[in-house]
Amino acid sequence: MWSETNNKLERTFEFKDFKESIAFIQLVAFAAEKMDHHPDILMFAWNKVKITISTHSAGGVTEKDFSLAQKIEERIK
């Protein structure tokens, strides 16, 4: 579930293994590049990926952030 904290959308995803985590990061990267809207991506504990999204130029969360979050959700289902 996405949470809104400190003017950012955040969610941590957990996968079955390292390879699945990396594949997810690649999916996020392609979606972000297509939108020209790039999140912060942190991989930790070999199977967890934290995505943080905000529009720095707007100083917080915008519709573009919600749109990217939705695209990420669609890619993991």
Side-chain angles (χ1 to χ4, degrees):
M1 189 63 117
W2 290 92
S3 63
E4 191 171 343
T5 308
N6 298 324
N7 295 317
K8 298 174 185 177
L9 293 179
E10 296 181 330
R11 180 167 178 196
T12 299
F13 298 85
E14 187 170 341
F15 299 96
K16 68 178 181 176
D17 57 29
F18 180 81
K19 186 174 153 183
E20 196 173 281
S21 298
I22 294 296
F24 171 71
I25 290 170
Q26 288 179 313
L27 289 174
V28 171
F30 284 117
E33 188 64 20
K34 190 172 183 178
M35 290 181 67
D36 192 30
H37 191 53
H38 306 97
D40 293 332
I41 301 172
L42 171 66
M43 183 177 170
F44 61 102
W46 67 268
N47 70 332
K48 294 183 179 116
V49 178
K50 181 178 180 181
I51 305 292
T52 304
I53 310 170
S54 69
T55 303
H56 302 289
S57 61
V61 177
T62 66
E63 187 58 41
K64 199 168 187 178
D65 303 304
F66 288 109
S67 180
L68 179 56
Q70 181 61 39
K71 289 191 184 306
I72 292 169
E73 289 296 318
E74 290 168 3
R75 290 185 179 261
I76 62 168
K77 292 182 180 177

